[in-house]
Every structure is written in C-alpha cells, then in structure tokens.
Amino acid sequence: MPNTILAGAQWGDEGKGKIIDFLTDEADIVVRSQGGNNAGHTIVIGGEKYVLHLIPSGILRKSKICVIGNGVVIDPVSLVGEIEGLRKRGVAVGKNLLISDAAHLVLPYHRALDGRREALKGKGKIGTTKRGIGPAYGDKVARIGLRMCDLVDPEVFSKKLAIRIRENNIVLKSLGAPALNGKAILKDYLAAADVLRPFVTNTVVYLHKALKSGKQLLFEGAQGTFLDIDHGTYPYVTSSNTTAGGACTGSGVPPHRVGRVLGVMKAYTTRVGEGPLPSEDKGITDALHAMGREFGATTGRPRRCGWFDAVATRYAAMVNGIDEIAITNLDGLDAVSAIRVCIAYQLDGKKIEFPPTDPGALARCTPVYIELPGWNKPTDKARKFSDLPPRARDYVNKLAGLTGAKLTIVSIGPARAQTIRL
Ligand code: GDP
Ligand code: IMO
Ligand code: MG
C-alpha cells in the first residue's frame, strides 16, 4: 500500500473510522495529524461498537502502531479517559501508541471560552462541539499555547499554566463567565501527565525512521473538507486544516512521501452544527433519523441531512488531490425510490459549478438536481460489487464520475465485512 492520506470529502462523519479500520490491514502505522476530541470515529467489530476521539482507529488492530501527531490538539484528561475506556474493553494501549511532544494542549479555559463565545453569538453560533478546539488552535497560532513537552515536565507546566490561568480568568470574567480554579486544573493535568508520559516522544523522528525502514503510513483525517479552516464554509468550520495538506504539516511527513489520497464520502450529505448546506432536505433527514441513523458520534446531536452534493465533492477532489474514493452508507438509500444528486448550484440567477467562498452567497445557492431511480432493495448483504443491484452500481459510478475520481471502495453497513473493494 502506498502511504495514504484518508480525508473526509464532505462535512465530516463520512465514515472515515470505518474505512481506516478496513485499510489498516495493509498499513503499519495509523497517524492522526489534526483536530482533537471534536472527532468521533465509529468502528464496529464483531458487533462491538467503538467510538474513538483522539486515538487513531488502528488501535483496535493488534501489531499496528498509532501516532498522534504534532498537529493534533490534545485534551490530556479526555485522552486518559479514552485510553482507560479501551483498556477496560480489553484493547491493549501501550507501546502501540505514540504521542507527539509538540502537540498542543486543550485546557479547561479553552472549553470555557468555546462555550461562552458560542453562547454570546446566539443565533449566529457555529455549533461547535464545545471541546475547546478553536481557542486551543487560537493559542497555538498566537504562540501562547502549552504543549505535550510542557505537560510532561511538572515544574515547567505549573509555571506556564499559572500565567495562562491568570490571563484567561480575566478574559472569562470579562465575558461574564466564572473564573477557573488553577490549583484544581494543575492537579488533574499532572495526574494525566503521569499516565501519558511514557507515550510522549518526537513523533517526527519516529515516523521518518519508520519510513526509512519501509513502513507504510495511513493518515486518518478528522472532520471533512468543508470544515477546513482555509477551504471550508468559514466561519462555520473547525480550526484545523482537515484537507490532505494538513496531514503533512501535522505529522512532519513531507508531501512527496504520500502516494495516494483517498476521499471518503457518504452516498448522501450530512452536516452537524450550523452553516450553509445547499442540498439539505427535510424528507431525507427525517427518513434517516427514523431509521435511527445520523446522530453525532461525539455530541449525539442529530445531523442535518441532504442529497449527495457533487459540487462539493468535485471541489473536495481538487483541494485534496483525491485519487480514489470510498462511498459509504449506500444502504441508507435502499428504500428511497427517486434519488436526487446536486450537480450545480443556482446563485442569483446564474448556474455555478463550484461553491462560492462567501457563506452568505453559499446560503443563497439553490441546488440543480438530477434524479436517479432507486433500487428499492437491501444492499447490506452484498459482498462483491456484482452483488449490488444494477441501479445501486449505476448510482455509485455516477457519483464517482461527477466527483472525478476512481471509485475503489463501497460500504454498505457499519461492520468490517460490509465493505466492497472494487
Ligand atoms: P467518521 O467521523 O467519518 O469516522 O464517521 P462517524 O463514525 O462519525 O459516522 C459515520 C456513521 O456511519 C457511524 O455510525 C458508522 O458506524 C456508520 N457507517 C459507516 N459506514 C457505514 C455504512 O456503509 N452503512 C451504515 N449503515 N453505516 C455506516
Ligand atoms: P469527525 O472527525 C462532524 C463541526 C462541529 C461544528 C464545527 C466546529 O468525526 O468527522 P469545533 O468543535 O471543531 O470547533 O466545531 O465543526 N465538527 C464536526 N462535524 N464531524 C466531526 O469530526 C467534527 N468535528 C467538528 O459540529 O459545526
Ligand atoms: Mg464522526
């Protein structure tokens, strides 16, 4: 397998965790390079469901190494909870996990600021996961962040934390939020540091040694293209580069060592949180929710759903350099008799082929649809492409054609076995 970046081609929750789990057989190391515990990646193995937030999805496979790279923002207390949760379920977490010493920390004041700023925005809120992701990346860029290398040195950490608490308490109070107790935070974080210390290392050096010895890397993107801080529907985005380039900066692996970019997309569209979603549709949202599908893996919020948006995926293919695509959740459309696909937008009387940058303009876009006949048959038992009903095959081939990339994986259920390789 060439070193592969797996990126979400829509608004997150495309089924990246499931596809990573499927591909991990062929990789040696799974790397997270951006985002934090705002991510929720679901993997179903033997009827058991796991939702991973910070730990790469490769952790569930014995003999695979998982790396949390420098570009990730880590809430140490939450990470310890995740490690303990996995161990309780019999998943080994030890020498198979490495954490970058350069990764930035999420601190309680980040979460408090995230929540308070969202509350102050009222109707104009982003709809964040309230995990403190935006404020943590903000501190990183402002060069006032604390990192894993600080956390593992109690003396350094306590000094730096005290300075940050002082400033953040002034800000929190000015925003009408209660001040935080620095002592309690220090205690919790030093306890987490004791658990995490053995995992912390220079992951850039580790990854380069691994590359030299011929190991294969699989980059597990978090979020999706339209949540990217540069390329997404700003300001309704997350605070990291979710597109393929983020995998390189967030891990220290240079672009020329990447051999393939795999874009993951659902057979329809979903979004959780606020912001424009041109192909949103109440009918399909209600139908999917009635099936018990499309509730957030991190926050439990109902996801907004719509028809497949080829304007968006075409753009995603361009920005990420997608060579291959995996289409997931095809089975979600099994009972839909007429399926719509958005092939262009109509904006102020003009037909456009690419999403406009301004979120106001994107919100004014109305989709231009084509309609395809449904297959009205269950697909979840298909194991080969030829097992799929002809109309389902036509549908996924159409989506790949409109996106402009080669279709290599189709997923028809949450389990490993429900994955078809073309
Ligand atoms: P991620 O964030 O991209 O890893 O995706 P999430 O785990 O947040 O959401 C995807 C949801 O779809 C999860 O509940 C998965 O178990 C589920 N899933 C993934 N692929 C399929 C599929 O092909 N069919 C069905 N029915 N569920 C799927
Ligand atoms: P995975 O990796 C879907 C969304 C939030 C909100 C916006 C900003 O599971 O695909 P943040 O907390 O990051 O500041 O929120 O981004 N969001 C996601 N939506 N999947 C995710 O991750 C997401 N991570 C953040 O809902 O709209
Ligand atoms: Mg998710």
Side-chain angles (χ1 to χ4, degrees):
M1 186 190 89
N3 295 322
T4 298
I5 296 175
L6 179 142
Q10 294 162 320
W11 277 267
D13 302 329
E14 294 90 348
K16 298 176 295 294
K18 171 182 166 162
I19 302 299
I20 286 282
D21 176 62
F22 178 73
L23 291 174
T24 301
D25 255 351
E26 297 156 38
D28 299 299
I29 305 174
V30 184
V31 187
R32 273 280 305 271
S33 50
Q34 43 73 227
N37 62 345
N38 49 349
H41 296 179
T42 315
I43 295 119
V44 177
I45 305 174
E48 285 271 316
K49 180 172 148 177
Y50 299 86
V51 181
L52 295 164
H53 301 284
L54 273 163
I55 300 179
S57 299
I59 201 76
L60 302 172
R61 299 251 185 183
K62 287 199 182 92
S63 81
K64 305 293 173 180
I65 303 291
C66 291
V67 171
I68 302 180
N70 55 278
V72 174
V73 287
I74 299 174
D75 182 328
V77 175
S78 164
L79 178 54
V80 168
E82 199 170 327
I83 291 171
E84 283 169 354
L86 285 171
R87 283 177 175 162
K88 266 191 205 133
R89 297 178 72 179
V91 179
V93 186
K95 287 204 170 2
N96 54 346
L97 177 67
L98 288 86
I99 303 171
S100 168
D101 54 4
H104 277 250
L105 304 179
V106 178
L107 284 134
Y109 47 80
H110 295 132
R111 283 197 304 274
L113 286 169
D114 193 355
R116 189 66 196 135
R117 285 182 186 145
E118 281 283 273
L120 288 170
K121 282 192 190 110
K123 270 195 176 161
K125 70 177 184 196
I126 296 167
T128 74
T129 60
K130 299 203 178 123
R131 297 297 190 269
I133 305 299
Y137 276 115
D139 277 4
K140 173 179 177 173
V141 176
R143 297 159 295 177
I144 52 173
L146 304 187
R147 300 190 291 172
M148 283 308 294
C149 57
D150 300 318
L151 180 72
V152 295
D153 183 330
E155 212 173 301
V156 171
F157 182 70
S158 59
K159 275 190 196 143
K160 290 193 175 178
L161 179 70
I163 298 168
R164 300 303 312 134
I165 294 277
R166 210 179 307 138
E167 182 187 308
N168 278 287
N169 274 347
I170 296 169
V171 177
L172 283 168
K173 273 195 243 161
S174 76
L175 296 175
L180 298 172
N181 178 342
K183 267 195 194 147
I185 295 171
L186 182 64
K187 188 166 165 265
D188 291 350
Y189 273 61
L190 289 182
D194 287 340
V195 179
L196 298 180
R197 198 169 288 109
F199 301 103
V200 178
T201 188
N202 184 326
T203 51
V204 176
V205 172
Y206 173 83
L207 289 172
H208 278 265
K209 280 189 185 156
L211 283 169
K212 239 188 201 148
S213 65
K215 298 273 192 266
Q216 255 113 40
L217 310 187
L218 179 56
F219 292 91
E220 177 172 359
Q223 292 82 48
T225 299
F226 295 94
L227 294 172
D228 184 286
I229 185 73
D230 284 284
H231 302 291
T233 54
Y234 192 92
Y236 303 99
V237 292
T238 191
S239 298
S240 66
N241 283 116
T242 63
T243 47
C248 294
T249 53
S251 67
V253 172
H256 74 279
R257 301 307 303 262
V258 177
R260 171 172 69 160
V261 179
L262 178 76
V264 183
M265 47 192 79
K266 278 181 178 147
Y268 46 91
T269 302
T270 68
R271 170 169 210 164
V272 58
E274 306 304 315
L277 187 65
S279 66
E280 186 168 11
D281 182 88
K282 189 178 174 334
I284 180 123
T285 302
D286 291 348
L288 289 164
H289 287 169
M291 291 156 78
R293 301 168 74 124
E294 301 308 342
F295 293 91
T298 295
T299 57
R301 291 177 291 176
R303 295 176 182 146
R304 299 154 62 194
C305 307
W307 302 109
F308 187 87
D309 183 344
V311 178
T313 60
R314 198 156 51 221
Y315 197 73
M318 211 163 71
V319 174
N320 292 286
I322 293 173
D323 314 291
E324 296 181 19
I325 61 177
I327 296 179
T328 69
N329 286 276
L330 181 65
D331 54 307
L333 300 177
D334 285 351
V336 182
S337 37
I339 306 174
R340 291 173 154 196
V341 175
C342 167
I343 53 158
Y345 298 154
Q346 195 80 28
L347 174 63
D348 303 334
K350 275 201 201 113
K351 196 170 155 187
I352 56 170
E353 309 275 334
F354 291 103
T357 302
D358 169 30
L362 186 57
R364 286 202 307 283
C365 285
T366 52
V368 177
Y369 286 121
I370 53 168
E371 203 167 275
L372 301 168
W375 44 94
N376 289 304
K377 274 194 194 105
T379 55
D380 61 316
K381 302 227 161 32
R383 294 297 174 265
K384 304 188 295 296
F385 195 59
S386 56
D387 293 340
L388 290 173
R391 282 177 178 173
R393 276 182 265 155
D394 290 348
Y395 180 69
V396 287
N397 280 328
K398 183 79 188 170
L399 303 191
L402 288 168
T403 301
K406 191 173 164 214
L407 177 66
T408 54
I409 296 173
V410 177
S411 168
I412 32 74
R416 269 183 195 171
Q418 293 171 303
T419 319
I420 298 170
R421 187 144 220 174
L422 275 77

